[in-house]
Amino acid sequence: MIGADALTHSLIDNGVELCFTNPGTSEMHFVSALDRISGLRCVLGLFEGVVTGAADGYYRLKGKPAATLLHLGPGLGNGIANLHNARKARSGIVNIVGEHALPHLAHDAPLTADIEGLARPVSQWVRTSRSAGEVGADGAEAIRSARAKAGQIATLILPADTAWSEGGRPARALEAEGRGRVSAEKIDKAAQMLRQTDCLVLLGGIGVRDPALSLAGKLAGKTACKLMAEFNNARLERGAGRVDLPRVPYVVEQAIKVLAPYRHIILIGAKIPVAFFGYPDKPSILLNPQASVLELASVDDDIVAALEDLVQACDASQAPLAQLAERDALGRIDGPLNPDSIAQVLSACIPEQGIVIDESVTTGRQFSATTRGALPHCWLNAMGGSIGFGMPNAIGAALACPDRSVICLEGDGSAMYTEQSLWTMAREQLAITVVIFANRSYAILRGEFNAVGAGSPGQRATDMLSLDRPDLDWVSLARGHGLDAQRVTDAAAFQQALSRGIASRGPSLIEVWL
């Protein structure tokens, strides 16, 4: 058995079901193995950032790692931005990165690169296979690492000769390292903090989904604490009938104002809230300086068990759920398109168990308050802030949950980073409705220009922050990639188009002209 066959069998035997691919010459024996050996679905992305972002979205919904196939150092480099997002989201991914045949490396061919050096900043586990006999076991170890704790990125580098040589053997993965258990002492300390009237429980990780979400709701129902979520969340479950978690605002001044009343902070799967960037004369940490902070559970801890223990410690098992969102009865939405009317349309149209991928950046920053009463759904953000996340993530989410509808909210600037995603959506006929907010600018950067005190932008600065001359035509771009598409200029037309797109159960794009 050649090494490529052994690796393919190891992936399949250990439960990997999907491989997002963008292969090259060095990976052709692995491509052949994927073709000959049944058990792995392969999905092609026309850019490596689509491949890695799709693997991120798949894990967020499926809870199990997919594989990627990338070509040498440049291919990995093209995928790093969305691997950065995936690492921040704690998504489990098994990257297979092709390498030159080991004897060929000495000749410094044009595509030779330090692949391990590129991989380490976005991987918790990196290894280069040295022989065909090692490839199967290395693949199994990569899977074990990807499954560990909350999820990790494992990068296996596959030299071409280890793939084509005989001597390969499949292997079974050992049990992955599980989540840590929170100590009784921490539970007791948190229970004492919850007796205070100025206590905030800030949730992240799996703390923002059920069953953890309902357990937190019982704590709020029993005590006077307030529940909130981090601004960015890998998967926030929300909607009518669920415990509603307001998100810490993005804007520094707003966040400081919201967090100022709380002197006792309990972090469960969340970090101390900090500003996205450092600003002149503004604090980096957004909490009240007098606040006492307890990190009860990290994202790698058993958050559900910690909340169960805390509910028992507070005698809250029979408490009613607090902060429940109520269903908004919205009918036809009329009027001009603006963030408020767009949010109303979303609240009316999000289907039950819909999946919203949010890279709306500036247009959607205030959507949360209005959409809290939509039908139950989940909401995904770019955890690492690297743009070009939304459409690839939507691909992975749709493949993980083919019975659910995906709505991808995209800024026009962000969408240009990975617009190749549209082709994969069309090829795979995925139930994704892409909504492009076309303001023809990097609007977030216009705001940041002012926030950092850089003065008034002149013409050269304005040109660097604008997407005009020419305007992007997203209807033509989408149709050129094989999607149905239309442009809307008012709220009623947007509502009609979004409802039709969701009902179609196929890929479509709506350009919202702002």
Side-chain angles (χ1 to χ4, degrees):
M1 180 183 292
I2 63 173
D5 288 10
L7 177 57
T8 302
H9 281 296
S10 287
L11 292 170
I12 295 167
D13 293 349
N14 289 291
V16 177
E17 299 173 350
L18 184 60
C19 185
F20 295 100
T21 75
N22 189 287
T25 304
S26 303
E27 298 82 52
M28 287 298 101
H29 282 83
F30 187 41
V31 169
S32 175
L34 293 171
D35 180 45
R36 290 181 286 101
I37 301 167
S38 62
L40 262 176
R41 179 177 182 179
C42 296
V43 174
L44 176 64
L46 301 186
F47 173 64
E48 292 88 344
V50 175
V51 169
T52 54
D56 177 20
Y58 181 85
Y59 184 84
R60 294 195 197 195
L61 272 299
K62 192 79 168 181
K64 60 189 302 184
T68 70
L69 176 56
L70 307 171
H71 181 46
L72 299 171
L76 173 61
N78 284 341
I80 278 178
N82 272 329
L83 287 176
H84 166 78
N85 286 329
R87 189 174 190 272
K88 293 286 187 177
R90 297 307 302 270
S91 290
I93 299 173
V94 177
N95 294 315
I96 310 298
V97 183
E99 172 63 288
H100 289 302
L102 291 171
H104 193 63
L105 289 172
H107 304 294
D108 195 25
L111 280 169
T112 303
D114 180 6
I115 301 177
E116 288 195 5
L118 290 167
R120 285 192 184 98
V122 290
S123 308
Q124 285 91 348
W125 183 95
V126 179
R127 181 176 297 170
T128 300
S129 292
R130 296 295 173 184
S131 70
E134 297 177 2
V135 171
D138 288 346
E141 180 63 15
I143 295 166
R144 185 203 66 80
S145 179
R147 291 173 176 164
K149 302 178 182 179
Q152 299 187 147
I153 296 176
T155 299
L156 175 62
I157 300 162
L158 181 67
D161 56 328
T162 69
W164 73 51
S165 297
E166 294 288 340
R169 297 179 299 276
R172 288 283 186 178
L174 299 176
E175 185 175 351
E177 182 182 356
R179 293 174 178 270
R181 186 79 186 204
V182 174
S183 69
E185 289 78 12
K186 276 192 172 183
I187 296 295
D188 290 341
K189 187 172 182 180
Q192 293 172 19
M193 291 182 76
L194 284 167
R195 297 189 183 103
Q196 308 300 318
T197 58
D198 54 2
C199 183
L200 171 68
V201 177
L202 184 62
L203 296 155
I206 62 168
V208 298
R209 9 180 151 148
D210 275 327
L213 191 59
S214 295
L215 292 167
K218 289 186 176 185
L219 288 174
K222 178 71 174 182
T223 71
C225 76
K226 177 72 173 179
L227 306 176
M228 293 186 70
E230 296 179 294
F231 176 73
N232 287 331
N233 296 275
R235 191 177 101 212
L236 173 62
E237 294 184 348
R238 60 197 303 270
R242 285 178 169 160
V243 174
D244 179 53
L245 298 179
R247 293 160 59 195
V248 174
Y250 173 90
V251 176
V252 170
E253 291 82 0
Q254 294 175 5
I256 290 173
K257 182 178 179 181
V258 167
L259 296 171
Y262 303 107
R263 298 295 194 275
H264 296 84
I265 314 292
I266 300 173
L267 303 177
I268 302 179
K271 295 181 178 179
I272 291 176
V274 299
F276 233 69
F277 302 100
Y279 299 94
D281 303 318
K282 295 180 184 179
S284 292
I285 295 176
L286 305 175
L287 296 176
N288 188 307
Q290 306 303 316
S292 174
V293 180
L294 171 65
E295 184 185 28
L296 178 67
S298 76
V299 70
D300 281 323
D301 287 328
D302 191 336
I303 290 170
V304 173
L307 282 165
E308 288 173 340
D309 291 345
L310 191 53
V311 165
Q312 291 298 319
C314 294
D315 193 25
S317 59
Q318 302 303 315
L321 299 181
Q323 296 187 200
L324 288 179
E326 297 181 1
R327 176 71 177 134
D328 288 330
L330 295 170
R332 176 186 168 96
I333 314 300
D334 291 305
L337 285 167
N338 55 50
D340 290 337
S341 64
I342 292 168
Q344 290 174 357
V345 169
L346 290 172
S347 188
C349 291
I350 292 172
E352 188 162 6
Q353 299 308 314
I355 301 166
V356 180
I357 315 292
D358 181 10
E359 195 174 24
S360 52
V361 193
T362 47
T363 302
R365 195 174 286 167
Q366 306 299 327
F367 283 174
S368 291
T370 303
T371 57
R372 65 190 295 271
L375 291 172
H377 62 280
C378 63
W379 198 283
L380 284 63
N381 303 112
M383 292 294 289
S386 182
I387 63 176
F389 134 91
M391 292 194 292
N393 230 250
I395 291 170
L399 287 164
C401 302
D403 57 331
R404 298 170 68 176
S405 296
V406 178
I407 301 171
C408 180
L409 307 178
E410 273 284 6
D412 50 359
S414 300
M416 283 302 295
Y417 278 64
T418 47
E419 52 88 19
Q420 306 93 332
S421 303
L422 298 172
W423 182 88
T424 301
M425 294 177 190
R427 181 186 240 206
E428 300 295 328
Q429 282 298 292
L430 302 176
I432 301 171
T433 306
V434 179
V435 180
I436 301 288
F437 299 116
N439 56 21
R440 297 163 299 286
S441 72
Y442 288 122
I444 189 170
L445 296 184
R446 290 177 176 268
E448 295 295 333
F449 197 95
N450 295 327
V452 300
S456 299
Q459 187 59 52
R460 283 195 294 270
T462 299
D463 284 348
M464 287 186 274
L465 308 179
S466 302
L467 301 175
D468 55 8
R469 305 196 328 268
D471 293 338
L472 295 166
D473 183 351
W474 279 99
V475 172
S476 295
L477 283 168
R479 289 174 178 168
H481 284 80
L483 273 71
D484 291 331
Q486 72 176 94
R487 178 178 296 144
V488 297
T489 56
D490 62 73
F494 176 42
Q495 186 174 13
Q496 183 180 42
L498 184 56
S499 298
R500 184 167 56 247
I502 293 167
S504 74
R505 298 294 301 155
S508 63
L509 182 142
I510 304 165
E511 184 180 32
V512 175
W513 194 258
L514 297 170

